[in-house]
Amino acid sequence: MSEIEREAMEYDVVIVGAGPAGLSAAIRLKQLDADLSVVVLEKGSEVGAHILSGAVLDPCGLDALIPDWKEKGAPLNTPVTADNFYMLGEAGGVRIPNFPMPPLMNNHGNYIVSMGNVCRWMAEQAEELGVEIFPGMACSELVYGENGEVKGVVAGVFGLEADGSYGPNTEPGMELHGKYVFISEGVRGSLAKELIAKYDLSAGKEPQKFGIGMKEIWEIDPAKHKQGTVTHTMGWPLGGNAGGGSFIYHLENNQVYVGFVVHLNYKNPHLFPYMEFQRFKHHPMVAELLKGGKRVAYGARAISEGGYQSMPKMVMPGAALLGCSVGMVNVPRIKGNHNAMLSGKAAAEAAYKAIQDGRSGDELTAYETEVRTGAIGKDLKKVRNVKPMWSKWGMLPSLALGGLDMWTNTLGFSLFGTMKHGKTDAAATEPADKHKPIDYPKPDGKLSFDRLTNVSFSFTNHAEEQPCHLRLADPNVPISVNLPKFDEPAQRYCPAGVYEVLEGESGPEFRVNFQNCVHCKTCDIKDPSQNINWVTPQGGDGPNYPNM
């Protein structure tokens, strides 16, 4: 694309992504120096449009960034009042008492929130400080300087031809240059993926691990609503087929978040994560809660689960990775927003000091040091073995040993050291002939729904004439390799029905319905041939999550 002529704008700091990490960085930079020029570029149609979260927020990140957030009207309106944990069987469940749980698992002092609304509020705070925020501006390319440093990004390219080439109606976008560039795209972002590969940032680290999280918002019978109640479950329906579990959070206005997470290192390619979620809602405990209610929204996204030992190097010349671009989710707590905020704050402070010292385009080593040795590193180090234990030994042993390990880590030591993750999630997929197909019940249209119906409740939209943003390295692989060997699992692991295998005149054909994509990036992660590359579509396209 070097022959394309573009205008360029110069800033002190360019931030990609208006999530909790990027907005925290922008706010902190302007708190430190009101004269710094800071821009935030957001691919969603508005701030919050692409934010999907488990939505129990530990406010420690917000406390550090904006101590008077209550007085400023932050939308943290529902404190957690009850915390329940159940082990489910098909017909019932057993509640695990809270007292054996490690202290870090306690949700006292946390809030059930819409992270989309929290980010909208944070954007208002940033703009009041003078931050420029441009929604609907997808960043499609990185710009490198003469010495190989990250110099900026290309944003706002619209009207590409169907094959991805530039045509007569293409808007070439513009370059935004910064002394430093912060990448806070969320999980498995395309720019972060490029940088991790280019600078070999994962050298010496464990592979990143992921889960797919799906969530519905329900309005339920007021008589069943218990505002402030948090419930987590493990066990049925996944059993030994995959790791994962559920969350049910009662927020205000008789609404509940009903969510389900499936760890993507499952072996059986016949597994259908979306249908496991739909089946879960038929459990007697859940069905009784939802009976008479209505689903009002749906969404899905990947979750980084590798934790402490999987975090890549976060800095490279001219740029830094923030939040979920690194992978800062505390897996047993199902929380990462607090660490994302703290990472944004730390990156901002490192960049501010560097700019004060007259530096630019170098590595912000102070940021990486703070993340690994400060509050974020301490939070993640305590739980670093929970995920690999589950992967290695299964649910029940890992529940006991993981709990023991978290307890000892609160005292500053671990009996297990730091365990390894081993394979990538893609490599964990085994051939289909090693596993039995799974018979899933048909959705009833009341508690459970087919994928395409649910996708309509994500309000996703893509211009049909634009290039497909789900790129196949080899278009023959889905039919020639994945179908005979793995029964083409893309048909099932995608929570939006993007991928289909259809019978054509000359045999099976692979179809990509990219218009359905909710940007979860599961395909980029789980495809056993690693043949699918998710890249950002044009700005404003994708889901438009309402208050999720």
Side-chain angles (χ1 to χ4, degrees):
M1 301 297 181
S2 58
E3 72 278 5
I4 303 298
E5 292 187 8
R6 298 186 177 96
E7 294 183 10
M9 295 181 66
E10 303 292 331
Y11 290 89
D12 289 310
V13 180
V14 174
I15 301 173
V16 179
L23 290 170
S24 294
I27 289 169
R28 186 60 180 149
L29 283 163
K30 297 296 274 189
Q31 287 173 339
L32 291 166
D33 185 350
D35 293 329
L36 287 174
S37 56
V38 181
V39 64
V40 178
L41 304 163
E42 166 56 37
K43 66 182 173 66
S45 59
E46 63 171 357
V47 173
H50 290 180
I51 298 292
L52 181 75
S53 164
V56 168
L57 178 66
D58 181 338
C60 65
L62 210 49
D63 289 339
L65 184 70
I66 308 175
D68 57 345
W69 55 264
K70 287 185 180 179
E71 291 76 12
K72 290 181 178 291
L76 280 66
N77 304 317
T78 303
V80 175
T81 57
D83 205 357
N84 306 311
F85 191 89
Y86 287 88
M87 185 68 66
L88 297 186
E90 186 170 359
V94 176
R95 184 182 175 193
I96 297 176
N98 289 24
F99 70 85
M101 299 279 189
L104 62 90
M105 296 296 289
N106 188 351
N107 273 308
H108 177 74
N110 297 333
Y111 293 82
I112 301 172
V113 300
S114 159
M115 276 310 298
N117 284 345
V118 170
C119 287
R120 292 180 183 101
W121 175 83
M122 291 179 70
E124 292 173 0
Q125 308 308 304
E127 288 180 323
E128 287 178 6
L129 293 169
V131 175
E132 294 181 41
I133 300 178
F134 298 143
M137 290 284 280
C139 297
S140 52
E141 294 178 55
L142 290 157
V143 179
Y144 297 98
E146 294 179 358
N147 299 313
E149 78 279 12
V150 180
K151 181 180 177 181
V153 295
V154 175
V157 178
F158 291 92
L160 291 170
E161 298 292 295
D163 63 358
S165 64
Y166 280 62
N169 298 317
T170 301
E171 297 178 31
M174 62 190 312
E175 294 187 5
L176 295 100
H177 300 165
K179 294 172 182 172
Y180 296 99
V181 178
F182 291 167
I183 305 298
S184 51
E185 300 169 296
V187 177
R188 196 76 166 194
S190 53
L191 300 186
K193 188 177 172 183
E194 177 181 329
L195 291 171
I196 289 170
K198 178 179 176 67
Y199 294 101
D200 199 17
L201 302 180
S202 289
K205 312 297 182 184
E206 283 295 293
Q208 185 59 266
K209 306 294 284 184
F210 300 91
I212 174 62
M214 297 154 285
K215 187 174 79 174
E216 295 171 357
I217 299 179
W218 280 71
E219 292 178 357
I220 65 169
D221 182 346
K224 302 175 184 178
H225 187 255
K226 298 177 181 178
Q227 186 167 327
T229 297
V230 166
T231 299
H232 292 100
T233 78
M234 296 169 63
W236 191 87
L238 289 173
N241 285 325
S246 82
F247 57 86
I248 302 173
Y249 303 151
H250 293 242
L251 59 160
E252 57 260 46
N253 301 320
N254 299 316
Q255 289 190 332
V256 293
Y257 293 146
V258 182
F260 200 78
V261 177
V262 178
H263 300 169
L264 288 177
N265 62 348
Y266 61 83
K267 298 177 181 179
N268 185 351
H270 300 297
L271 188 83
F272 199 156
Y274 175 84
M275 290 306 298
E276 296 286 350
F277 175 32
Q278 298 307 302
R279 183 159 62 169
F280 160 75
K281 290 181 291 176
H282 286 273
H283 187 277
M285 184 179 78
V286 185
E288 178 58 31
L289 175 69
L290 301 181
K291 184 179 178 181
K294 69 175 182 178
R295 163 222 42 188
V296 296
Y298 165 76
R301 61 163 286 182
I303 303 166
S304 57
E305 295 185 337
Y308 184 79
Q309 55 270 62
S310 295
M311 292 193 297
K313 183 180 178 183
M314 299 160 220
V315 296
M316 64 235 71
L321 306 179
L322 276 56
C324 281
S325 292
V326 175
M328 298 181 180
V329 172
N330 183 312
V331 171
R333 298 184 74 200
I334 321 180
K335 292 179 181 64
N337 289 306
H338 63 298
N339 285 336
M341 292 178 183
L342 292 172
S343 76
K345 178 176 179 290
E349 290 169 351
Y352 164 74
K353 178 65 166 59
I355 292 170
Q356 289 292 104
D357 292 344
R359 293 159 44 203
S360 67
D362 60 345
E363 294 190 2
L364 294 171
T365 55
Y367 162 61
E368 177 134 9
T369 299
E370 171 59 27
V371 169
R372 295 194 184 275
T373 63
I376 298 170
K378 291 174 182 175
D379 182 53
L380 297 178
K381 191 172 184 179
K382 291 177 183 177
V383 301
R384 66 192 182 278
N385 291 324
V386 172
K387 171 70 174 178
M389 282 179 174
W390 196 332
S391 301
K392 187 173 183 178
W393 296 321
M395 181 179 65
L396 291 177
S398 70
L399 190 62
L401 295 174
L404 172 64
D405 193 54
M406 285 188 284
W407 268 111
T408 60
N409 268 290
T410 62
L411 303 174
F413 71 96
S414 170
L415 298 173
F416 301 92
T418 298
M419 296 180 65
K420 296 182 180 297
H421 291 302
K423 297 178 180 178
T424 66
D425 292 332
T429 313
E430 294 182 345
D433 60 11
K434 287 190 174 184
H435 299 273
K436 293 181 180 179
I438 303 172
D439 184 23
Y440 290 98
K442 185 178 179 180
D444 67 356
K446 297 177 181 177
L447 290 177
S448 50
F449 312 96
D450 66 83
R451 276 186 297 185
L452 295 187
T453 298
N454 240 357
V455 167
S456 70
F457 282 80
S458 72
F459 308 99
T460 193
N461 179 68
H462 295 84
E464 294 193 12
E465 67 276 6
Q466 71 174 290
C468 176
H469 65 280
L470 302 162
R471 299 179 181 172
L472 304 180
D474 182 344
N476 296 311
V477 162
I479 300 303
S480 65
V481 178
N482 284 358
L483 185 60
K485 187 173 182 180
F486 302 103
D487 193 28
E488 186 43 276
Q491 302 173 89
R492 292 173 294 280
Y493 60 57
C494 174
V498 169
Y499 302 100
E500 293 181 286
V501 175
L502 304 174
E503 279 300 323
E505 293 182 2
S506 57
E509 297 177 354
F510 190 64
R511 177 180 291 179
V512 181
N513 305 300
F514 75 88
Q515 297 88 351
N516 295 354
C517 181
V518 294
H519 298 192
C520 73
K521 314 194 186 116
T522 301
C523 55
D524 193 300
I525 297 162
K526 185 59 176 171
D527 178 58
S529 299
Q530 286 295 274
N531 190 52
I532 302 174
N533 186 36
W534 185 98
V535 299
T536 186
Q538 68 183 25
D541 284 1
N544 288 277
Y545 294 134
N547 302 324
M548 295 188 78

